[in-house]
Amino acid sequence: AVTTVDRETDRRMPHWKAADRWLCVGGTAGHEAPEALRPRAGEAVVSKTHFSAFGAPALERELAALGSDTLVLAGVHLHGCVRATALDAYQRGLEVWIADDAVGSDDPLHAAVTRRYLETRAARFLAVDEVLTRLAGRAALDPPRLAHRSPRRTAETLFSIPVGGARETAAASAAASAAGPAWRARSEADRRAILTAVAETFERAAEALARSIAEDVGKPLSQARAEVARTAALVRNAAALTPGGEPAAGSGSRFRRVPRGVVAAVTPWNNPLAIPWGKIAPAVALSNAVVWKPAPPASRVAVRSLELAREAGLPGDLVDAVPGDHRTAAALMGDAAVEAVTLSGSSTAGWAAQEVCARRRIPLQAELGGNNASIVWTGADLGRAAALVAAGAFAFAGQRCTANRRAVVETGVFDAFLDRLAAATGALAWGDPLDPATEVGPLVSADARDRVAATLAAARASGASTLAPHAATAGARELEAAGAYLPPTIVVGAPPDAEIVQEETFGPVLVVERAASFDEALVLANGVRQGLVAALFSGPGPWRERFREAARAGVLKWDASTADADAVAPFGGWKTSGIGPPERGPGDLEFYTRVQTLYGEA
């Protein structure tokens, strides 16, 4: 079903008329489906004018002729057209499947509400692969499993995991809740000793853990080793956390900090150890229990790290992992025993978490990525700036929330900086992540590679030019044929409103923009919806103070790439990059405990 508007009859929806919006006009590009979704020969197409596809009488005739008892829905918008069509199909007695990874929205919070509403009433959300399996007449996997392919060799399946649901998350959260009182009854010294032992155990297993990270998510081995070291530092630092004293709040009263209880940790694949244990360690140091939902590609590393932690003395039920996908995360966050949620992930994941946590009125801490800019200005050491920006943009194929996504460069030094940037990029070792010399490896999956490649193609179509020094090197074709490799790519000349400028690519892409004045540079650097990290390379002058006062990001750096953060300082984003208190520092105490005021206690 295709929404079709005719300018002569003008049967637009009333809210489109009120806003004077002409969308989906027949015969225009806005009416055409993307290539992958265009009708195939023999497929019927019906035109509609409002939300529901059942607004087109021809649809019911087609369904009756086919004898259909099931309707599969994909497309946009999940909160409008898809929702209305699903409800109308449900009213007609049809079974409704919604292709979970083939629906979209420009209002993600509304879409999250719609997803929950439909899933509990009128429709089943299934992955495209599962839909195809069912349509082919094969029995669906029961329970469903997710397969993870090697980033290095995408034809090779490394492992598969079950998709946990409400039953599994409820069991884990109940066990964690039961384990909490005994953990809280231990002395601070005892808890500190166990966490210190966990850090030491990770350090002893560093080489095996680093290799697993390199194999499973494609992080170059040298960077995976650094992640293990960082994880141990995060755990060791968290071990020293304490709720603190109980200062007087007034005559006859005082207050104390008490643990939340069971905390849900939802974590990404790109730092499969450091991000999760940067959440788990402070949570348990402050006497909470944790149920952890790792991203599917990180599941094998997650399980191994839990085994090591338990060997070091961490109680088994106090921290547990439930593997799965976003449905597992939704079930966990919605579980009645969970009293707080900490999440690192995409903006879409943040919207979904906000909907669940707002409905349940529990606190949410979320780090939701960055579209980070470095300004390169008067007096900067251009060679050093180029080397640091290139490494920050392309190490680990740009798959870091702090990666340098954009460089805003003064017009007077633009060409000189670009020359040095191309040379610094070409000098980075691109290849197998298991090679200790590699600095840039593959993306995590073929889908991720194809998504980034499509974004680059759209940028070129909009008039931007691209430079990929590794593309013509020996062995490039072999790498790209074997795994999810995409050469580091510099983009120049993209319009400020282009997708590749405005959105986080999460791949080996660096956008370089010109600025004629420092005011313009600040506008460009701040001109995206994210605000995680910003950096400035400059010589002496007023630039540093102006940058400090005007940059809209949670982390600011001078003469350093946006990439990386230490294990001690608070870490959190502004604007759409963050929700709730930052990780580490005072944020840990604020998030993992809550204040209780006591009156008249003897």
Side-chain angles (χ1 to χ4, degrees), residues 137-534:
R138 300 188 297 273
L141 294 172
D142 190 19
R145 298 184 69 87
L146 297 172
H148 176 56
R149 294 181 179 273
S150 166
R152 302 167 54 240
R153 296 187 294 267
T154 50
E156 177 186 342
T157 298
L158 294 177
F159 58 86
S160 67
I161 59 167
V163 177
R167 180 182 303 174
E168 291 77 14
T169 56
S173 59
S177 183
W183 179 250
R184 288 193 292 274
R186 293 188 184 224
S187 68
E188 286 185 7
D190 197 8
R191 291 194 296 269
R192 185 178 300 117
I194 290 174
L195 283 171
T196 300
V198 171
E200 292 169 349
T201 301
F202 287 165
E203 287 168 335
R204 287 193 294 272
E207 193 60 27
L209 286 171
R211 187 172 183 87
S212 292
I213 293 170
E215 289 177 341
D216 289 1
V217 303
K219 177 173 284 189
L221 191 58
S222 60
Q223 296 159 37
R225 289 169 176 156
E227 181 182 345
V228 179
R230 175 182 170 80
T231 303
L234 286 165
V235 175
R236 188 173 277 109
N237 291 340
L241 278 173
T242 173
E246 301 172 349
S251 178
S253 68
R254 64 189 182 90
F255 69 87
R256 63 175 183 165
R257 287 191 171 272
V258 297
R260 295 279 179 187
V262 177
V263 176
V266 181
T267 61
W269 50 264
N270 62 322
N271 286 289
L273 277 183
I275 289 178
W277 285 96
K279 299 175 183 291
I280 294 168
V284 300
L286 294 167
S287 299
N288 297 278
V290 178
V291 182
W292 174 18
K293 206 298 288 181
S299 297
R300 189 160 66 171
V301 174
V303 169
R304 180 56 185 147
S305 73
L306 270 181
E307 292 171 348
L308 291 169
R310 288 166 181 164
E311 290 172 11
L314 195 69
D317 288 339
L318 186 73
V319 179
D320 202 1
V322 181
D325 58 12
H326 66 275
R327 294 168 290 184
T328 313
L332 175 60
M333 293 186 294
D335 188 272
V338 169
E339 299 191 66
V341 174
T342 177
L343 175 148
S344 293
S346 67
S347 184
T348 299
W351 286 115
Q354 277 188 283
E355 190 276 327
V356 174
C357 294
R359 173 166 44 88
R360 297 193 55 227
R361 294 186 176 176
I362 61 173
L364 169 65
Q365 176 196 60
E367 185 273 294
L368 302 171
N371 191 0
N372 314 300
S374 285
I375 296 176
V376 181
W377 212 249
T378 298
D381 180 332
L382 296 183
R384 181 172 183 274
L388 290 172
V389 169
F394 301 124
F396 188 27
Q399 297 172 120
R400 297 186 287 183
C401 59
T402 59
N404 232 133
R405 307 280 173 215
R406 298 174 295 136
V408 180
V409 185
E410 183 184 17
T411 298
V413 299
F414 187 91
D415 292 338
F417 175 76
L418 190 60
D419 288 344
R420 288 165 173 80
L421 180 65
T425 300
L428 295 170
W430 178 50
D432 188 338
L434 294 182
D435 182 342
T438 294
E439 296 165 282
V440 184
L443 279 83
V444 71
S445 67
D447 285 346
R449 175 201 60 206
D450 295 345
R451 172 186 55 77
V452 176
T455 304
L456 285 167
R460 286 189 285 265
S462 74
S465 60
T466 59
L467 176 64
H470 297 83
T473 58
R477 289 186 179 180
E478 290 79 3
L479 277 178
E480 294 178 77
Y485 291 90
L486 187 71
T489 304
I490 300 166
V491 178
V492 180
D497 61 350
E499 178 187 2
I500 204 161
V501 177
Q502 288 295 315
E503 301 299 329
E504 180 185 30
T505 54
F506 218 70
V509 174
L510 175 69
V511 175
V512 185
E513 301 175 276
R514 296 176 184 265
S517 69
F518 200 72
D519 285 342
E520 183 185 5
L522 289 169
V523 168
L524 291 172
N526 290 332
V528 296
R529 59 191 178 90
Q530 305 90 348
L532 185 58
V533 191

Side-chain angles (χ1 to χ4, degrees), residues 123-134:
R124 300 180 67 185
F125 283 77
L126 305 170
V128 168
D129 288 346
E130 188 173 357
V131 169
L132 296 176
T133 295
R134 290 171 180 265

